[in-house]
Amino acid sequence: MIMVLDSGLQSGPANNAIDRHYLDLHAQGACPDQLRFYRSLPSASVGRHQIIDRELRIDYCRSNDIALVRRLSGGGAIYLDPRQLGWSLILKRPHTWRQLGLEQLLALFSRALAKGLKRLGISARYAYPNDLEIEGRKIATLFAASEAESLLLQGTLLLDADIRTMLEALRVPTEKLSPDGLSAARERLITVKECLGKIPDLEKIQAAIIHGLSTGLRLQFGGRTKGSGAHIPQCDALAEESAAAHQIDWREDRTSALESLWKTPGGTLRARAVFDGEGKRIEWIEIGGDIHLDPGDLLCKLQRALQGLPIAHTQQCMVDFFRDNGVDTLGFGAQDVVRLLHILLDKLSLRRDVQLSSKQLNALMIYSQQAVSARQILNQASVMLVPYCAKPAWCKWRTRDGCTECGLCEVGEAYRLARERGMQVTTVTHYEHLVATLSDMKARDVGAYIGMCCSSFFIKRHRAFLQAGMPALLMDISGSNCYELKQEELAYAGQFQAQAQLDTEVLHQVIKFVPRAG
């Protein structure tokens, strides 16, 4: 029989500490199976493997009393406040679940929750990898973690939503945001209040969730017990200790570090590394992302295995590590982590021949499903794609393909450099234009291309690059970013008014590897 608790409204760090405390006790055999319902004061919660300052607007959170929390579970960043109902199910892994991986476990958990919501009159469906949606709009998110034979299954249900604060707290807002950052976010999210016209009593919602978990997971639950959470020894101290022990971020100044990212079906992988003076060994490395991974500490172990290792041995080390450690990953595998490292090494090789800082090299996004190197991409590149948002708002060519090369912006210089090498240059005027352009390039068997876009666009609209299938070297743009200004829908439609900036110094350095025409 699974004990049911309701710990009411707590701070985000306290709820996080409670989960850690109970999971640790349960793994030691000192705590029974339990389901705990709770709500959180305003908090920004990142997954176990995420880089916190890549996911959250930390200064905004701190100035608005939004707590920063690192979960035990993987996955992406979410915003929590009293408008959401959270729950944590801790239990010993049933015998029938022994062969279930993370993907199957999250799917099973999600479908059980969907059964519970149906009892409230809400018809939701499981959406890979860890969401519940209603006609493409998210209403709940699920996460999982484990310790020994103990499982922690977490969930959050949107009763209502403070979308404005959510968008300000999360650095990379949810896909399909609107010009004002609000209306299209509502198109991506849906709440219990919107579904039913009101928020039922919490006890009724909890009863529905218990029913879904009971029938969907074939578990037996006892009666509910209310409590403030004070029965947990030194709850505030636990929260402080938990926050200090699990504050993993990349804000430490390492100016010589090289960074890479690689998008997978299971999330975006990121790495950062410092190499020795001769570029033959890894001195220090971090690997993370909005990914699901079990056991949760394996990335830390992999990092320790790679540090100090000669570069020539790194690929085999990673392959052996994933093979020998029984790693359970969702939507990515050892080959993706190897690709992540290849991109780092590619940038290390480039650094020997170009006069660019690590920061400038980190602005390069190397994309190739076949692990083609940056130099090979540049050697084959015959097309350059330029974003319209890098042209001045006053320019008559702002939303048109073409450029007079008047010399009053960086785009003209990009056109000049490309034409010197006989490259076709296209100004991408909106998202559909990008898709059509890439499709045409694919049909013409274009070998590779150079492009410019912000990293947020590359991650969110990765499908367009994936479907095109062509190797590309993409340069991150800076300045007025539509994602920072929360104007993605305007940008996708070709109506974004602010001006982004191209780094012509980076372009000058990399384009010299493109053969000149004739």
Side-chain angles (χ1 to χ4, degrees), residues 57-274:
R57 292 187 174 93
I58 296 174
D59 291 340
Y60 175 86
C61 291
R62 287 177 172 162
S63 63
N64 288 274
D65 295 322
I66 297 173
L68 306 181
V69 174
R70 181 177 294 285
R71 298 187 306 273
L72 274 169
S73 50
I78 57 174
Y79 173 72
L80 302 171
D81 66 14
R83 296 172 178 83
Q84 298 180 48
L85 176 64
W87 63 93
S88 296
L89 173 62
I90 298 176
L91 74 167
K92 184 176 180 180
R93 185 186 291 262
H95 179 74
T96 55
W97 296 5
R98 293 294 169 89
Q99 302 303 316
L100 297 182
L102 274 171
E103 181 174 344
Q104 294 83 7
L105 197 61
L106 285 168
L108 181 68
F109 188 30
S110 300
R111 291 178 179 123
L113 175 61
K115 287 186 177 182
L117 294 182
K118 196 166 186 67
R119 191 162 181 147
L120 296 172
I122 298 173
S123 296
R125 297 174 62 88
Y126 166 62
Y128 179 90
N130 63 320
D131 291 332
L132 275 186
E133 295 182 350
I134 299 172
E135 296 181 352
R137 301 172 67 188
K138 181 167 69 174
I139 192 170
T141 302
L142 298 308
F143 305 102
S146 67
E147 183 174 341
E149 290 299 312
S150 299
L151 280 175
L152 167 62
L153 300 174
Q154 300 170 309
T156 59
L157 176 68
L158 288 170
L159 305 177
D160 201 356
D162 180 358
I163 300 237
R164 182 179 296 276
T165 303
M166 180 187 301
L167 299 185
E168 293 292 351
L170 303 184
R171 178 167 292 282
V172 183
T174 308
E175 193 171 327
K176 298 183 181 176
L177 294 182
S178 68
D180 63 6
L182 296 174
S183 61
R186 292 192 180 97
E187 294 174 6
R188 176 69 180 103
L189 304 174
I190 191 168
T191 65
V192 171
K193 184 177 182 180
E194 184 176 349
C195 288
L196 303 179
K198 64 177 183 178
I199 301 174
D201 292 339
L202 287 180
E203 287 191 1
K204 183 177 180 181
I205 298 174
Q206 292 175 7
I209 291 172
I210 291 171
H211 172 78
L213 297 177
S214 176
T215 57
L217 303 181
R218 298 183 180 179
L219 301 174
Q220 290 188 327
F221 294 88
R224 278 171 285 175
T225 302
K226 289 189 176 181
S228 65
H231 54 284
I232 297 173
Q234 302 175 335
C235 184
D236 291 338
L238 282 171
E240 292 179 8
E241 179 183 344
S242 175
H246 299 90
Q247 183 73 8
I248 304 170
D249 60 61
W250 286 9
R251 285 175 291 152
E252 184 180 353
D253 183 22
R254 289 183 179 264
T255 55
S256 63
L258 292 176
E259 297 183 13
S260 63
L261 66 84
W262 183 246
K263 186 76 168 65
T264 76
T268 301
L269 289 164
R270 296 180 184 270
R272 184 172 80 152
V274 173

Side-chain angles (χ1 to χ4, degrees), residues 425-445:
V425 191
T426 298
T427 297
V428 176
T429 57
H430 51 81
Y431 178 66
E432 287 74 17
H433 183 211
L434 171 65
V435 174
T437 299
L438 290 174
S439 177
D440 175 69
M441 290 164 57
K442 183 177 181 179
R444 292 189 289 111
D445 291 325

Side-chain angles (χ1 to χ4, degrees), residues 275-282 308-314 348 352:
F275 300 89
D276 66 3
E278 296 181 353
K280 293 183 178 180
R281 291 179 181 271
I282 296 175
L309 197 67
I311 287 174
H313 299 162
T314 53
L348 179 65
R352 300 188 183 104

Side-chain angles (χ1 to χ4, degrees), residues 14 74 126 201 204 227 251 257 310 333 377 413 417 419 444 465 486 489 495 508:
Y126 166 62
D201 292 339
K204 183 177 180 181
R251 285 175 291 152
I377 292 171
E413 180 67 0
L417 290 171
R419 285 173 175 163
R444 292 189 289 111
F465 302 100
K486 295 178 285 294
E489 288 298 315
Q495 300 170 15
H508 272 273

Side-chain angles (χ1 to χ4, degrees), residues 93 98 100-102 146 293-298 301 318-330 334:
R93 185 186 291 262
R98 293 294 169 89
L100 297 182
L102 274 171
S146 67
L293 174 73
D294 186 60
D297 63 350
L298 278 170
K301 292 180 178 178
M318 284 194 285
V319 172
D320 294 343
F321 183 89
F322 274 78
R323 182 196 63 214
D324 298 339
N325 284 276
V327 184
D328 180 12
T329 59
L330 197 164

